Amino acid sequence: MTDIQLMHRFLDDMEVENGLAKNTLESYRRDLEGVLEIFIQRKVGFLNATREDIQFFLSNLAKRQMAGSTVARKISSLRRLYRYLALTGLRKEDPTRLLDSPKIIRHLPNTLNETEVESLLAAPDRKTFHGLRDAAMLELLYATGLRVTELVSLTTDGLDEASGFVRVVGKGEKERIVPVGEVAMALVALYQRQARPGLLKGRYVKALFVSNRGQEMTRQNFWYIIKEYAVVAGILKSISPHSLRHSFATHLVNHGADLRAVQMMLGHSDISTTEIYTHVAQERMKRLHEQFHPRG
């Protein structure tokens, strides 16, 4: 079996057994192809490479001054491959077992404060079809912390108005149930009754949110929409749909929400990803202390 065949077998098995998203699989493929380029120079392959060969690959990354997060991801891809090789009996020892991951500088996410969120949610003109749709999308995004892809992928049967939940298919085709507040649910219901039929103009589209042309809303369309409303709301910082997801999580943590519950609502597979929002809350408290304490 060639290294390329081995890599494809690994990726196929990861897709079938772990249900990994296509973007994740593509990331693994690019990482492993980069490793293979170096291995070919050293006349080794995945099955006979040593720890020294892998260290040579990492030193090559260091010379190219790659970010710690990028290096850590490539190491993670390698570790996953070699775990797979060990489990399938294709290789006995794991040359990545003692590798150290680089220290990653975690940048705090770009969030809006609660006043800015209120201004953004109030920006659309709800007297128009597209304004009512935009208001419903913004309100639902902030109420649930959905990813923008998850938001535009919602179908008309994805919301359960009676129980107050939305059913979401997230990364890796994993389904989760997220609670929706009364304000957001009522606004989405109003959009469905009053605005959606007018936007569709007799067309049939399964997507919950539709464009001004009566087609499925795209993530690019919504990105431009949120940018426009940020200007209307007088928000000077650069924001994106993901800013509302970050704000949703940060405000929950600020108000004492359990981190595990926030993790479930966001659809994070690892609690360490969610823990960034505790750092955001701590930074906010630090700024408030510096601003208002007489000896801050």
Side-chain angles (χ1 to χ4, degrees), residues 30 55 60 79 89 110-111 145 151 175 196 255 262 264 268 291:
R30 288 196 303 268
Q55 290 285 16
N60 184 273
R79 281 182 173 145
N110 184 18
T111 62
L151 179 73
E175 186 175 285
R196 191 172 182 274
H255 289 281
V262 177
M264 291 176 63
H268 287 162
Q291 182 178 356

Side-chain angles (χ1 to χ4, degrees), residues 143-182:
T144 58
L146 300 185
R147 300 177 179 92
V148 64
T149 303
E150 295 169 346
L151 179 73
V152 298
S153 299
L154 286 176
T155 57
T156 51
D157 58 358
L159 257 72
D160 188 336
E161 191 175 347
S163 61
F165 286 91
V166 61
R167 187 173 65 255
V168 183
V169 178
K171 287 186 175 181
E173 299 300 309
K174 293 179 181 177
E175 186 175 285
R176 70 184 190 279
I177 305 296
V178 184
V180 182
E182 292 180 3

